């Protein structure tokens, strides 16, 4: 087979023997593990010399090859450009193979490996490459919420009736969710990209069958009034849960209002949120899950390539925590129940936001809800969000759950 190495159709035309051999064994090495693969490479090599690949592959089956090539392009396995697809579709049957080979050469070993694996389907134990693998249970590829089959809903609802929060019948259910987002401030930087977070969180919650109320540009006092009015909504009586989403600049103790400054703080304390919705002050949501999601910094940062949700950028010194580290560990006696708070970062640390794509935390949160909420309870979905942040990339942050008083598993069962 040595004479065929430099002329394999799956490889680029060699500029040097060493370069061709290196690419050849990356893209086509697995072919030599079977007689079928060796025969195929010999035929393809002969086709290279004869300048007629279809004739060289007639023994394998012209119809099979043509169908295979058409299927590769139709399913976008090779991730061809639109111009390449058009060139392939417009080509005569005898020329289609060469059109595809040219595209393979340009895309180098990634496409070569995909083509080899797809054609022979030889390594059944290996994991498909990320470029062509479509997650079996993922809605991420379509950007939509994966729904829970009604049969699964009934099965789990019966098996775990005593362990999960009751779900009200969809007909007559009046779920409410509240989003409070501060984007512009009197003394702080604009939170660019926050409008994307509002749009995507609204779409997610609507998909989960919540009527969403969005409030923007509020002071701390105005946020408190909005929360009190929301807690008093009569719809909660015929609901089974609620979501409260806060997106703003933040400090350790709470969420910044639009008038916040170092000289004159304007902060909604986290305790105020729990107090308004606890069992003493919001009976309509008693024994029902109350999910609080916070996209805000909880400490100082140094903003560089990303935009940080903290009002006062300063030097980052992770080896020496601020002196008030103990403050976050001191809480009032809990009187609330059925709460869970999911914050975008740990105490004293920052949360990052891309100006063009929105918050990293909100983006991953939505993705995990879309993929997993159909079969996972809420805390498991949150754990998957945390897992996605386990290995820091450009900037590090670790979402955290706090003040969890859920006594049961909370399944959303989207679509039911």
């Amino acid at each position: 087979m040595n004479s065929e190495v430099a002329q394999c159709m799956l490889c680029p035309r060699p500029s040097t023997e060493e370069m061709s051999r290196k690419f050849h064994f990356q893209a086509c090495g697995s072919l030599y593990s079977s007689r079928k693969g060796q025969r195929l490479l010999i035929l393809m090599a002969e086709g290279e010399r004869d300048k007629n690949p279809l004739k060289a592959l007639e023994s394998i089956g012209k119809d099979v090859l043509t169908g295979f090539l058409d299927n590769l392009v139709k399913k976008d396995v090779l991730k061809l450009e639109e111009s390449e697809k058009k060139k392939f579709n417009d080509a005569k049957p005898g020329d289609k193979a060469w059109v595809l080979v040219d595209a393979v050469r340009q895309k180098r070993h990634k496409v070569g490996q995909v083509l080899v694996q797809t054609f022979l389907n030889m390594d059944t134990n290996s994991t498909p490459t990320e470029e062509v693998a479509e997650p079996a249970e993922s809605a991420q590829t379509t950007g939509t919420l994966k729904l829970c089959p009604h049969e699964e809903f009934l099965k789990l609802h019966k098996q775990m009736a005593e362990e999960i929060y009751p779900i009200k019948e969809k007909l007559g259910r009046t779920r409410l969710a509240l989003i409070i987002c501060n984007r512009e401030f009197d003394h702080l930087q604009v939170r660019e990209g926050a409008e994307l977070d509002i749009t995507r969180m609204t779409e997610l919650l609507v998909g989960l069958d919540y009527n969403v109320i969005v409030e923007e540009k509020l002071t701390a006092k105005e946020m408190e009034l909005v929360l009190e009015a929301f807690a008093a909504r009569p719809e909660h009586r015929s609901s089974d849960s609620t979501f409260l989403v806060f997106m703003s600049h933040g400090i350790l103790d709470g969420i910044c209002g639009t008038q916040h400054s170092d000289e004159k703080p304007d902060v909604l304390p986290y305790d105020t949120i729990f107090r308004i919705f606890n069992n003493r002050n919001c009976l309509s949501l008693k024994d029902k899950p109350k999910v609080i999601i916070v996209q805000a910094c909880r400490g100082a940062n140094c903003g560089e390539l990303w935009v940080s949700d903290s009002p006062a950028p300063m030097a980052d010194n992770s080896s020496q925590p601020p002196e008030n580290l103990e403050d976050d560990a001191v809480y009032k006696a809990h009187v609330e129940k059925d709460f869970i708070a999911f914050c975008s970062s740990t105490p004293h640390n920052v949360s990052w936001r891309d100006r063009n794509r929105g918050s990293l935390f909100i983006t991953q949160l939505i993705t995990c809800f879309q993929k997993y909420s159909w079969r996972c309870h809420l805390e498991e979905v949150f754990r998957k969000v945390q897992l996605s942040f386990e290995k820091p990339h450009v900037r590090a942050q670790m979402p955290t759950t706090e003040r969890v008083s859920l006594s049961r598993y909370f399944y959303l069962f989207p679509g039911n």
Side-chain angles (χ1 to χ4, degrees):
M1 286 295 297
N2 291 336
S3 62
E4 277 75 36
V5 168
Q7 296 296 323
C8 175
M9 283 182 59
L10 299 181
C11 299
R13 295 185 184 275
S15 55
T16 66
E17 182 178 356
E18 180 180 0
M19 180 183 299
S20 176
R21 183 178 294 107
K22 179 180 179 181
F23 176 86
H24 177 85
F25 284 110
Q26 284 180 329
C28 308
S30 62
L31 288 174
Y32 300 118
S33 62
S34 70
R35 292 182 180 178
K36 178 182 178 182
Q38 292 175 0
R39 185 176 178 221
L40 174 61
L41 280 179
I42 293 172
L43 291 170
M44 293 174 74
E46 292 173 353
E48 170 80 353
R49 290 193 293 268
D50 295 339
K51 303 303 180 184
N52 195 337
L54 286 178
K55 278 187 173 298
L57 293 169
E58 279 180 350
S59 61
I60 299 176
K62 183 184 298 183
D63 293 339
V64 173
L65 176 62
T66 303
F68 167 71
L69 297 178
D70 288 337
N71 197 43
L72 284 179
V73 175
K74 182 179 179 181
K75 292 189 175 182
D76 201 23
V77 172
L78 301 179
K79 307 298 181 183
L80 300 179
E81 302 292 338
E82 290 300 322
S83 58
E84 293 172 332
K85 292 180 183 179
K86 186 176 187 305
K87 186 176 181 181
F88 175 84
N89 292 327
D90 293 343
K92 297 178 180 179
D95 297 330
K96 285 192 173 185
W98 280 114
V99 173
L100 197 59
V101 167
D102 288 339
V104 168
R105 288 191 181 115
Q106 294 172 16
K107 294 181 181 295
R108 295 283 172 173
H109 68 279
K110 284 187 178 181
V111 174
Q113 290 169 343
V114 171
L115 185 56
V116 171
Q117 183 178 358
T118 305
F119 195 100
L120 296 180
N121 194 23
M122 292 171 54
D123 191 359
T124 58
N125 296 322
S126 64
T127 302
T129 57
E130 182 178 352
E131 287 80 0
V132 297
E134 182 177 351
E137 298 173 344
S138 173
Q140 186 176 8
T141 52
T142 60
T144 58
L145 181 68
K146 187 174 181 65
L147 302 181
C148 177
H150 191 62
E151 298 77 15
E152 292 293 327
F153 163 68
L154 294 176
K155 178 182 177 181
L156 191 60
H157 196 270
K158 181 179 180 180
Q159 290 178 346
M160 302 182 64
E162 300 300 321
E163 300 180 63
I164 65 177
Y165 282 100
I167 300 295
K168 290 186 177 293
E169 293 289 339
K170 194 169 185 179
L171 183 63
R173 186 174 64 197
T174 56
R175 289 175 172 173
L176 290 181
L178 175 65
I179 296 176
I180 292 179
C181 181
N182 286 334
R183 183 176 180 273
E184 298 179 353
F185 300 79
D186 294 347
H187 308 289
L188 307 177
Q189 60 185 347
V190 176
R191 297 182 60 252
E192 297 181 26
E195 63 280 359
L196 300 175
D197 293 339
I198 295 176
T199 300
R200 292 182 297 180
M201 276 303 302
T202 300
E203 291 175 352
L204 174 66
L205 291 169
V206 168
L208 293 171
D209 200 35
Y210 289 86
N211 292 318
V212 182
I213 300 170
V214 178
E215 297 284 352
E216 301 183 63
K217 201 170 183 181
L218 302 178
T219 64
K221 184 59 179 178
E222 290 169 340
M223 284 191 280
E224 183 174 352
L225 293 175
V226 166
L227 289 172
E228 290 175 346
F230 182 77
R233 293 285 293 260
E235 292 93 332
H236 292 311
R237 288 195 291 268
S238 51
S239 177
D240 51 24
S241 57
T242 192
F243 274 76
L244 306 170
V245 183
F246 300 88
M247 299 182 285
S248 183
H249 287 303
I251 61 175
L252 179 63
D253 299 322
I255 301 165
C256 294
T258 55
Q259 296 179 357
H260 181 78
S261 66
D262 291 338
E263 297 75 20
K264 190 175 181 181
D266 181 30
V267 178
L268 174 71
Y270 290 116
D271 274 345
T272 300
I273 302 171
F274 286 87
R275 174 182 56 80
I276 292 174
F277 289 90
N278 67 21
N279 291 337
R280 180 183 297 123
N281 298 315
C282 186
L283 291 175
S284 297
L285 288 171
K286 184 178 183 296
D287 298 326
K288 302 173 183 179
K290 295 167 279 286
V291 184
I292 300 172
I293 295 173
V294 180
Q295 164 59 41
C297 279
R298 306 175 70 188
N301 72 94
C302 56
E304 294 178 352
L305 298 178
W306 301 85
V307 180
S308 172
D309 286 342
S310 180
M314 59 182 293
D316 182 14
N317 191 351
S318 56
S319 62
Q320 294 182 347
E323 294 179 357
N324 59 347
L325 177 64
E326 297 179 354
D327 291 352
D328 191 56
V330 179
Y331 288 113
K332 298 178 180 179
H334 295 335
V335 296
E336 69 262 16
K337 178 178 173 291
D338 308 304
F339 278 94
I340 182 170
F342 195 32
C343 302
S344 56
S345 65
T346 50
H348 302 288
N349 292 321
V350 300
S351 299
W352 297 99
R353 176 173 28 84
D354 189 316
R355 292 185 179 92
N356 300 317
R357 299 180 181 179
S359 304
L360 275 64
F361 170 66
I362 296 296
T363 298
Q364 287 302 117
L365 181 76
I366 292 172
T367 296
C368 289
F369 265 100
Q370 290 175 339
K371 293 176 65 175
Y372 304 115
S373 65
W374 73 276
R375 62 179 176 87
C376 296
H377 60 78
L378 185 73
E379 291 177 86
E380 181 65 13
V381 174
F382 286 170
R383 189 193 65 80
K384 291 182 181 295
V385 176
Q386 291 175 307
L387 184 62
S388 70
F389 284 91
E390 186 175 33
K391 295 182 179 180
H393 297 289
V394 179
R395 286 288 182 265
Q397 69 183 81
M398 176 50 66
T400 179
T401 54
E402 296 189 5
R403 292 179 77 155
V404 181
S405 56
L406 297 177
S407 58
R408 304 185 180 204
Y409 296 119
F410 179 30
Y411 285 87
L412 285 155
F413 298 119
N416 294 276

